[in-house]
Amino acid sequence: MLRFVRENAPCSRADIAASTGLNKATVSSLVADLIDRRLLRETGLTENRVGRPATMLVLDGSPYAAIGIEVNVDHLTAVAIDLAGTELLSWRRSFPGAAATPGQTVAAVAALARRVLNRMAKEARQVLGLTVAVPGLVDVNGSVGIAPNLGWRDVDLSGDLAKALRDPGFPVLVDNDANLAALAEHRFGPHGGVADLVYLTGEVGVGAGVILDGRLRRGGRGFAGEIGHIQVDPAGAQCRCGRRGCLEAVAGMAAVLHDTAPDATPAELEPEIEDIVRLARGADPSVLGTLAGIGGELGKGVAVIANMLNPEVVVLGGYYVALAPWVLPAAQAEFARRSVAPDGGGTRLVASTLGYRAAALGAAARLLDSIDSGRLPAAQT
């Protein structure tokens, strides 16, 4: 019922009964419970229908908050949303993730989480949970098996954070950043609701979040989507994973900065990308050539995705968004050349509109999915 109202609000009890197959008495009982929990609210009557005016329902959820935090090589991002998806806060902080130890990262994330929790407490909101996005392989228990760009192996991030927050009384979850960014695109982006969508991160690393038939696909142990480590050029640059010619090595941000700032540290990534954008706008031939080459390599990776999964849309995120005016044309051309299906099988290649907060926003949205699946908070008193 919550999913139905989220997708069709404003709607009536009769609309819910007709669409879900539940009888009217059951719908009335469940609606009363959800109103008591302040998950739904009534918005008045509508007369634009056959028969008697009906009382319409919309999502409420204003007393609740879901928190998402992204850990990246050069920053932390925190987002909080209410049950209806309204953004309550969005903070981005510089953080040397690539140089920090797992313990230092846990301490930094816990400190940021406590700040968000304090803000939510002042607003009298009940926190539904915290999800943390990381650029690495995360198993179903929230343990990070490997995160090459953070230098991590076998880090029990979920358990360590729960301890640092002193067992806060709500779920502390961990997931891959690309998976969560894909959830954000599917729920909040302009292509939201499409059945088949792939999100490509554009940070130091390149990962993929895959949604098929409307559901996020994690693989057998949660390790799906490592498109960044598909080899696209056997003679290409050395990758951080130890292999050569991975998509991440030839089309990631290190490749973008290879000519202009080859020694840039992760902490310098954002200002260096801003310089690249400035030079591209000034039609610097060397930079334009580099970005076209990056686009071509990226197009090879997109072709692999399209030939294997045939998604409706592939969304480029992270720093690819700023570079999209110069990267996208070459990527689209290379993708079209390498796609087996005519016209790329209908797959569209676009830039994200959610900005740098996509993974953190998706982290918070994962908790809303849990509520929609029936894990309801206690009734408000």
Side-chain angles (χ1 to χ4, degrees), residues 310-322:
N310 188 214
E312 296 175 57
V313 60
V314 174
V315 182
L316 302 183
Y319 292 114
Y320 285 136
V321 175

Side-chain angles (χ1 to χ4, degrees), residues 274-284 287-288 291 321-322 325-326:
E274 290 173 354
D275 282 345
I276 290 287
V277 170
R278 178 180 55 79
L279 291 169
R281 286 174 177 162
D284 182 283
V287 168
L288 292 179
L291 294 180
V321 175
W326 306 280

Side-chain angles (χ1 to χ4, degrees), residues 226-306:
E226 288 300 315
I227 185 71
H229 299 289
I230 288 180
Q231 187 183 65
V232 296
D233 181 1
Q238 186 89 14
C239 183
R240 288 172 180 257
C241 73
R243 299 172 180 85
R244 183 171 291 279
C246 294
L247 180 64
E248 180 174 302
V250 299
M253 293 306 110
V256 171
L257 300 177
H258 182 267
D259 293 330
T260 59
D263 299 321
T265 66
E268 299 167 329
L269 191 59
E270 187 166 349
E272 292 294 349
I273 294 296
E274 290 173 354
D275 282 345
I276 290 287
V277 170
R278 178 180 55 79
L279 291 169
R281 286 174 177 162
D284 182 283
S286 176
V287 168
L288 292 179
T290 294
L291 294 180
I294 296 296
E297 299 293 352
L298 191 58
K300 295 176 185 178
V302 174
V304 172
I305 294 170

Side-chain angles (χ1 to χ4, degrees), residues 123-313:
E123 297 177 4
R125 298 182 190 273
Q126 178 182 335
V127 173
L128 300 171
L130 165 67
T131 303
V132 179
V134 294
L137 298 180
V138 182
D139 69 19
V140 294
N141 298 313
S143 179
V144 183
I146 181 171
N149 296 321
L150 296 177
W152 291 6
R153 278 188 178 273
D154 300 322
V155 177
D156 181 15
L157 186 56
S158 178
D160 291 346
L161 270 175
K163 291 175 184 176
L165 293 171
R166 298 182 180 179
D167 298 318
F170 52 72
V172 177
L173 310 174
V174 179
D175 205 339
N176 172 264
D177 60 344
N179 285 346
L180 296 172
L183 283 180
E185 289 289 344
H186 192 248
R187 185 181 281 267
F188 302 114
H191 308 285
V194 301
D196 304 288
L197 176 149
V198 175
Y199 179 96
L200 292 185
T201 60
E203 307 289 344
V204 169
V206 178
V210 180
I211 290 176
L212 297 178
D213 299 324
R215 295 177 57 195
L216 182 66
R217 303 298 178 172
R218 303 177 182 278
R221 297 189 178 182
F223 299 157
E226 288 300 315
I227 185 71
H229 299 289
I230 288 180
Q231 187 183 65
V232 296
D233 181 1
Q238 186 89 14
C239 183
R240 288 172 180 257
C241 73
R243 299 172 180 85
R244 183 171 291 279
C246 294
L247 180 64
E248 180 174 302
V250 299
M253 293 306 110
V256 171
L257 300 177
H258 182 267
D259 293 330
T260 59
D263 299 321
T265 66
E268 299 167 329
L269 191 59
E270 187 166 349
E272 292 294 349
I273 294 296
E274 290 173 354
D275 282 345
I276 290 287
V277 170
R278 178 180 55 79
L279 291 169
R281 286 174 177 162
D284 182 283
S286 176
V287 168
L288 292 179
T290 294
L291 294 180
I294 296 296
E297 299 293 352
L298 191 58
K300 295 176 185 178
V302 174
V304 172
I305 294 170
N307 289 335
M308 182 174 293
L309 302 177
N310 188 214
E312 296 175 57
V313 60

Side-chain angles (χ1 to χ4, degrees), residues 56-93:
M56 305 303 283
L57 300 165
V58 296
L59 286 175
D60 185 0
S62 55
Y64 303 98
I67 301 171
I69 294 179
E70 180 195 7
V71 178
N72 215 304
V73 295
D74 60 346
H75 66 267
L76 299 175
T77 301
V79 169
I81 58 177
D82 69 11
L83 189 68
T86 302
E87 194 170 285
L88 306 173
L89 63 80
S90 179
W91 296 339
R92 191 163 184 257
R93 300 286 185 268

